[in-house]
Amino acid sequence: MNRYFKWIIIAASAVIVLFLAMEAMRENLNTDWQRYQNKYKSELKLMAKTEQEREIAADYEIKMRQIVAPHLGRSDRCISCHVAMEDSRMVDMEHPLKSHPGDYLDKHDMNFVGCTSCHDGQGRAITAEAAHARGSEHFWEKPLLDGSFIESTCTRCHASGLDQSPHYNLGKQLFNQKGCFACHSVGDVGGVKGPALSDIGDASFHVKMPTHENRERLLDKFNQNVNLAYIYEAITEPAAQPEETEMQKVEFLEDEVTALMVYLKSLSSDRRMMDVGVADSRTAETGVVLPVQTKALSSAKVSGGAAKGYLLFQKNCIACHTIGGGDRVGPDLKGVTERREGEWLKKFIQYPTDMINAKDPIVMDLMKKYPTPMVNMGLSEEDVEEILKYLRNPEDVEVEESVATTPESASKIAPRAQINKGLDLFRGKQRFLNGGPSCMVCHHVRNASLFGGGSLAKEVTTSYSRLGDAGVKGILKNPPFPLMKEAYNGKPLTEDEVDALTAFLQESDREEGNQSPRDHKKIMVLAGVAGLVFLFLLLAVAGARRKKDSVNKNLFNRQKKSEDGI
């Protein structure tokens, strides 16, 4: 080998080793968190006034620090940089050596709740860029929250708004008053005309992003938080996406938009106590009482000639209208069947958008007083008749809290064979008789017997306790959700399949707190190793019959035999 080429290789190797050594030093001996801790140690020495304080400062150890909260599934290393969080003497310092503002740490044990429970961010990261998790190019799941948006995380532990969360409280009030429930659902309450908002605070970044025209401006406005930028655009420019939306633009003050964003950002799968009802509050401006509905209607016993109409009204109309409770987003409907002609009412209830587009004079007069337009709710003619029956005679309904939750009348546990059949149907091991897709394509259930699940629709682990037996069966028999309705159009479930799925969901709900999900990572690793071993064995068996001698050797042997006269 040419000696000059050898020297080139030696020099290149030396440069590579030098760069690796420098990078190792940068990562291990000169990190940001080490510099901050050294700075804090210097501050401790300067502030020390007694011998004991000087000893404490001298003994302060420079090391990786973290808070582990297994009950919340969090490991936060934020305090490796923010080392002075609980040191009130550092209140005037700059971040990250600044003590936590306010008295929050007096009421919250930081070692119990951690940091990302309130602030989001990537708790396990050890660099500022990764920990703050900002920037659309990375698709960070939980970018750091600033300012009033931190209020959106309070409901992860607290069931409702607090005095310390005024933006959240106002946002929730606006969501109720503006009739957003008419089209959007939160939990089990609300309409189905628009998308469900229960997990809007977790909207996937690479799917839910502002439009290209607004992206750069809104990302700069919200410190590169893609989720907040998307929610802001959805509120202020509803026609931006999708273009065929029926949502009308509502003029809000900037503070009101921020409040709505805080409330919507709080709607997350991280919430430990999901508030699925309408706030029970009376506002001075409207005098409206918004009823609390914390249980699904299936948990109440509804009887009377107008019972079906009552249930339809509660599902589709209650967000905007009352019967005798005063105006809400729309007018009070008490006596409406006497004020309006029957055919007009039927048409307006079933096809309000068509009548608005046709500029019906009565509708135009109503919109002068109630500017929020009514939208089509997908009601059938039969549904409209039932609603009208309820509007004519709302007293013909008796609502009695079900005693199904008491021990005396608790639902019986289904046979194990029926539960197992429901499990097989849910995960697709057994096909539905009429060819519908398995539930697992769209839904997930926290169950040790299941391997993953879909995220297109709501997780249904606790659906049985929320909806009750009748509610679950009603949805399975007559899907009310657009995607589900389309998926099972012409492919209805049989009665036996409905019973089996209901039994499985009841079992999953009851055992939800006792589940010990399998470690699928270990299973996948073991399966991969087993598959690799099997492949090697298969190759060994197949290779045992391969040709082992070279062609040249065979030719030589034949030639030699020919020469020897054999």
Side-chain angles (χ1 to χ4, degrees):
M1 184 183 293
N2 188 295
R3 66 172 182 168
Y4 295 109
F5 188 62
K6 289 182 179 179
W7 280 111
I8 291 173
I9 294 176
I10 292 172
S13 300
V15 170
I16 292 173
V17 171
L18 178 62
F19 273 108
L20 289 174
M22 291 172 61
E23 182 63 16
M25 290 180 62
R26 187 191 68 81
E27 288 190 355
N28 297 283
L29 301 178
N30 191 33
T31 60
D32 289 342
W33 60 267
Q34 287 173 322
R35 290 199 302 273
Y36 293 137
Q37 289 189 25
N38 277 310
K39 173 66 174 174
Y40 181 57
K41 185 172 184 177
S42 299
E43 292 294 329
L44 289 178
K45 291 178 179 179
L46 291 174
M47 292 187 294
K49 296 179 181 179
T50 66
E51 187 62 32
Q52 183 180 11
E53 290 177 347
R54 282 188 284 272
E55 289 179 3
I56 293 174
D59 293 338
Y60 183 81
E61 186 178 0
I62 309 300
K63 65 179 182 180
M64 177 68 68
R65 289 173 161 79
Q66 68 178 0
I67 297 171
V68 179
H71 53 288
L72 298 178
R74 298 180 184 275
S75 297
D76 293 344
R77 295 170 180 163
C78 312
I79 57 171
S80 291
C81 290
H82 296 270
V83 288
M85 279 291 97
E86 297 181 287
D87 192 338
S88 59
R89 298 171 298 176
M90 307 292 283
V91 67
D92 295 324
M93 294 292 289
E94 296 292 331
H95 280 304
L97 298 182
K98 182 181 179 69
S99 60
H100 198 289
D103 60 352
Y104 296 99
L105 297 188
D106 294 339
K107 302 175 181 178
H108 300 81
D109 184 351
M110 192 167 69
N111 293 311
F112 183 81
V113 300
C115 304
T116 57
S117 297
C118 299
H119 296 273
D120 277 351
Q122 311 289 97
R124 297 183 182 181
I126 58 173
T127 66
E129 179 187 6
H132 294 177
R134 286 171 173 150
S136 59
E137 68 276 10
H138 297 299
F139 301 127
W140 298 112
E141 292 295 327
K142 297 287 186 182
L144 191 73
L145 295 174
D146 294 319
S148 56
F149 295 109
I150 297 176
E151 295 178 21
S152 65
T153 62
C154 297
T155 53
R156 291 175 180 174
C157 297
H158 301 280
S160 59
L162 308 170
D163 292 339
Q164 293 86 354
S165 58
H167 293 87
Y168 170 85
N169 299 339
L170 175 60
K172 185 176 180 181
Q173 183 180 2
L174 288 168
F175 189 87
N176 297 332
Q177 290 177 349
K178 297 300 181 180
C180 305
F181 273 112
C183 299
H184 301 281
S185 64
V186 176
D188 299 320
V189 178
V192 296
K193 187 65 177 178
L197 301 180
S198 296
D199 296 327
I200 187 64
D202 294 327
S204 182
F205 286 1
H206 63 286
V207 176
K208 300 293 187 181
M209 293 188 74
T211 54
H212 180 75
E213 297 76 15
N214 296 328
R215 190 167 301 166
E216 184 176 354
R217 173 176 61 88
L218 294 183
L219 287 176
D220 289 343
K221 182 180 179 69
F222 296 105
N223 211 353
Q224 303 303 308
N225 190 313
V226 184
N227 187 229
L228 291 179
Y230 169 77
I231 294 174
Y232 180 88
E233 182 187 64
I235 295 172
T236 58
E237 300 180 42
Q241 58 174 317
E243 294 181 357
E244 67 274 13
T245 182
E246 294 183 16
M247 183 173 170
Q248 303 295 314
K249 184 175 181 179
V250 179
E251 296 297 334
F252 291 108
L253 299 175
E254 192 67 19
D255 286 347
E256 292 177 329
V257 174
T258 300
L260 275 170
M261 291 176 65
V262 171
Y263 174 68
L264 292 174
K265 181 63 180 174
S266 75
L267 303 179
S268 162
S269 58
D270 282 342
R271 299 184 69 180
R272 296 174 63 192
M273 302 180 69
M274 177 64 78
D275 176 14
V276 299
V278 185
D280 185 12
S281 60
R282 181 180 294 273
T283 62
E285 294 78 11
T286 62
V288 174
V289 177
L290 303 177
V292 174
Q293 183 178 331
T294 56
K295 296 183 180 179
L297 291 173
S298 57
S299 66
K301 183 179 180 181
V302 182
S303 59
K308 186 174 180 180
Y310 166 82
L311 294 173
L312 288 166
F313 187 89
Q314 291 290 320
K315 180 175 180 61
N316 298 284
C317 315
I318 195 67
C320 298
H321 300 281
T322 70
I323 300 179
D327 291 350
R328 193 168 286 179
V329 177
D332 185 344
L333 298 183
K334 184 176 182 180
V336 68
T337 55
E338 299 171 3
R339 298 194 303 271
R340 305 295 182 196
E341 193 267 331
E343 288 303 317
W344 183 92
L345 267 179
K346 287 181 183 179
K347 187 176 179 181
F348 187 54
I349 293 174
Q350 191 169 11
Y351 304 112
T353 303
D354 293 350
M355 296 185 72
I356 293 172
N357 294 336
K359 298 191 181 301
D360 181 274
I362 299 177
V363 176
M364 293 298 102
D365 286 341
L366 286 171
M367 289 193 66
K368 291 177 182 178
K369 185 176 181 181
Y370 310 102
T372 302
M374 186 170 167
V375 296
N376 296 344
M377 303 301 293
L379 299 170
S380 66
E381 291 185 8
E382 182 185 353
D383 293 336
V384 174
E385 289 291 348
E386 292 295 338
I387 291 174
L388 287 173
K389 186 187 297 185
Y390 172 59
L391 292 174
R392 293 189 194 101
N393 191 11
E395 291 79 16
D396 192 16
V397 174
E398 293 182 6
V399 182
E400 179 183 348
E401 283 296 323
S402 173
V403 293
T405 56
T406 63
E408 293 76 17
S409 59
S411 299
K412 293 183 179 179
I413 298 176
R416 175 51 58 181
Q418 190 178 44
I419 295 172
N420 291 340
K421 179 180 179 180
L423 169 62
D424 290 342
L425 288 168
F426 187 93
R427 63 184 174 182
K429 185 177 180 180
Q430 179 176 336
R431 297 297 304 274
F432 289 117
L433 182 64
N434 292 320
S438 65
C439 312
M440 197 172 174
V441 172
C442 297
H443 297 280
H444 175 61
V445 168
R446 294 192 299 276
N447 188 292
S449 302
L450 288 177
F451 183 84
S455 58
L456 183 63
K458 188 178 180 66
E459 181 187 308
V460 291
T461 308
T462 59
S463 59
Y464 191 88
S465 61
R466 291 186 287 106
L467 300 170
D469 192 84
V472 171
K473 289 183 177 178
I475 290 175
L476 292 174
K477 292 178 181 178
N478 300 295
F481 311 112
L483 284 177
M484 188 176 178
K485 185 183 296 185
E486 183 177 346
Y488 293 95
N489 184 26
K491 305 172 184 177
L493 304 185
T494 65
E495 195 72 30
D496 184 55
E497 290 168 344
V498 169
D499 290 341
L501 283 171
T502 304
F504 167 65
L505 291 174
Q506 180 189 21
E507 171 78 1
S508 297
D509 196 325
R510 185 173 58 251
E511 296 297 325
E512 187 256 342
N514 300 322
Q515 290 293 342
S516 298
R518 294 176 182 174
D519 188 343
H520 295 299
K521 291 182 180 179
K522 290 183 180 179
I523 294 175
M524 291 295 290
V525 170
L526 291 174
V529 172
L532 191 63
V533 171
F534 175 76
L535 181 62
F536 282 146
L537 291 175
L538 189 65
L539 291 172
V541 172
R545 303 177 61 183
R546 73 188 187 280
K547 188 175 183 66
K548 299 179 181 179
D549 296 331
S550 71
V551 174
N552 290 337
K553 183 177 180 180
N554 290 334
L555 289 173
F556 175 79
N557 289 337
R558 285 200 299 270
Q559 182 67 28
K560 192 172 186 305
K561 288 180 180 179
S562 176
E563 291 176 353
D564 294 341
I566 299 176

